[in-house]
Amino acid sequence: MMSSVSIEAAKATATSARSKPSGLAPNYWPFVVPALIVIAAVIVFPWVFTLWMSVNSWTLGQAQAFSGWDNYLRLATDTRFWDSLWHTVLYTVLAVIGPLFLGTLAALIFDAQFPLRGLLRGIFVMPMMATPVAIALVWTMMFHPQLGVLNYLLSLVGIGPQEWIYNQTSVIPSLVLVETWQWTPLIMLIVLGGLAALPREPYESAEIDGANAWQKFRYLTLPMIAPFLMVGVIIRSIDAVKSFDIIYAMTQGGPGTASETINIYLYNTAFSYYDIGYGSAMAVVFFVVIVALSFVLMMVRARTNWSDTETR
């Protein structure tokens, strides 16, 4: 005769079996479809539409006509486009080297123990929090040849006034100065994270062997923080190559076309000259350049080995 405990267990099993859906998997599509719609509307459709416009001859106010590869062939012979590409490369290289060097130096300084270190760190990262347009307006006033504070400071040490962003030779270095001032704190924070993760044992061994400060930095610190430096290079390179707001707010690509990067030339072509088809072809090429740059940087990053370290 079946005991009462067995009867209750059988009833519970039957109840749970009836409560489970028979062979039906949970339906997640109601939650996935809205996200897919948003992605298609915000990312996929604009790029498909840009690709379609790039193979058409379309100037606002005129009839649209299919042109095939004409816009891309036109880019190959456009000297202004190649000049803007060179300006982009030069601007990117300088805007990466400056913050990388100064940010690493600042990280080494702020990694040391000294009074008010936390307060000074907070002050140092403040430029990174400011909006680019506000930064551009302030620095434009500082760069003014007659009224700017920078030329006044140079006059105090006997240096004559400079033309800064108003000269074709100095405009890109001047813009890079602004970029360096704003984004050096970002590199500092990245490198500080790397310094905080370094072990103490190699340094103790180096001190026993009589290594000086430079030797410890050259043979211990620098190799171990190399992956963090590479992360900073990747972030700054991608950000600098597509920089627009500071350049446009300060120079609009001038004087002449001396600071006209691909972004600025693309914007002027599409929204100042209303050549939508040619501007779209330029956007496609620019996108390919950014993807290629990202791919190269990620390959270099993959070759940078992380050190197996314990948190200090």
Side-chain angles (χ1 to χ4, degrees):
M1 185 174 181
M2 186 179 293
S3 65
S4 59
V5 176
S6 300
I7 295 173
E8 293 297 330
K11 288 181 179 180
T13 303
T15 303
S16 61
R18 286 195 301 268
S19 63
K20 291 182 179 179
S22 56
L24 295 178
N27 187 3
Y28 298 112
W29 279 107
F31 303 96
V32 175
V33 170
L36 293 177
I37 293 175
V38 171
I39 292 174
V42 176
I43 299 177
V44 177
F45 172 75
W47 269 110
V48 172
F49 188 61
T50 301
L51 286 171
W52 176 76
M53 289 190 297
S54 69
V55 294
N56 285 269
S57 177
W58 184 16
T59 302
L60 290 183
Q62 299 181 8
Q64 177 184 343
F66 179 77
S67 59
W69 297 100
D70 289 352
N71 288 325
Y72 295 97
L73 295 176
R74 178 180 167 190
L75 281 174
T77 58
D78 187 353
T79 56
R80 186 172 173 180
F81 170 76
W82 291 107
D83 288 342
S84 68
L85 180 61
W86 163 244
H87 296 156
T88 303
V89 172
L90 178 61
Y91 181 86
T92 301
V93 171
L94 295 178
V96 171
I97 293 176
L100 187 67
F101 174 77
L102 295 177
T104 303
L105 178 61
L108 293 173
I109 294 173
F110 284 116
D111 187 56
Q113 298 290 337
F114 56 86
L116 301 178
R117 183 181 65 164
L119 175 62
L120 294 176
R121 279 183 179 181
I123 295 174
F124 193 82
V125 301
M126 288 179 64
M128 190 175 61
M129 304 176 186
T131 57
V133 175
I135 291 174
L137 294 177
V138 171
W139 277 88
T140 300
M141 291 186 290
M142 294 172 62
F143 280 141
H144 195 280
Q146 286 79 38
L147 306 177
V149 67
L150 292 182
N151 278 342
Y152 170 74
L153 295 176
L154 291 179
S155 67
L156 297 180
V157 294
I159 300 177
Q162 306 296 314
E163 295 182 327
W164 303 107
I165 58 174
Y166 303 96
N167 184 281
Q168 293 186 350
T169 304
S170 60
V171 59
I172 289 184
S174 300
L175 293 172
V176 170
L177 176 62
V178 180
E179 190 89 0
T180 301
W181 175 82
Q182 183 180 14
W183 293 114
T184 292
L186 175 64
I187 303 298
M188 182 204 72
L189 293 177
I190 294 174
V191 177
L192 269 178
L195 293 173
L198 299 185
R200 290 300 311 167
E201 290 79 7
Y203 293 93
E204 294 171 354
S205 301
E207 290 172 359
I208 294 174
D209 293 337
N212 56 34
W214 166 250
Q215 290 172 331
K216 287 189 287 186
F217 172 76
R218 170 65 181 84
Y219 297 105
L220 293 177
T221 304
L222 190 58
M224 288 192 288
I225 65 172
F228 296 90
L229 294 175
M230 195 62 219
V231 170
V233 169
I234 292 173
I235 295 175
R236 284 299 307 131
S237 297
I238 296 176
D239 185 63
V241 78
K242 60 185 182 63
S243 180
F244 175 84
D245 36 24
I246 286 181
I247 299 175
Y248 189 81
M250 294 184 69
T251 66
Q252 292 82 43
T257 59
S259 63
E260 189 176 64
T261 59
I262 294 180
N263 262 333
I264 304 297
Y265 185 32
L266 189 159
Y267 177 86
N268 288 332
T269 299
F271 300 107
S272 296
Y273 314 141
Y274 304 111
D275 194 344
I276 305 299
Y278 190 49
S280 299
M282 204 179 304
V284 173
V285 172
F286 187 43
F287 176 76
V288 173
V289 170
I290 292 178
V291 170
L293 175 62
S294 303
F295 181 74
V296 171
L297 290 174
M298 293 306 295
M299 288 184 61
V300 175
R301 170 65 189 85
R303 295 176 180 270
T304 306
N305 296 322
W306 289 89
S307 300
D308 295 329
T309 60
E310 296 179 358
T311 303
R312 171 166 65 170

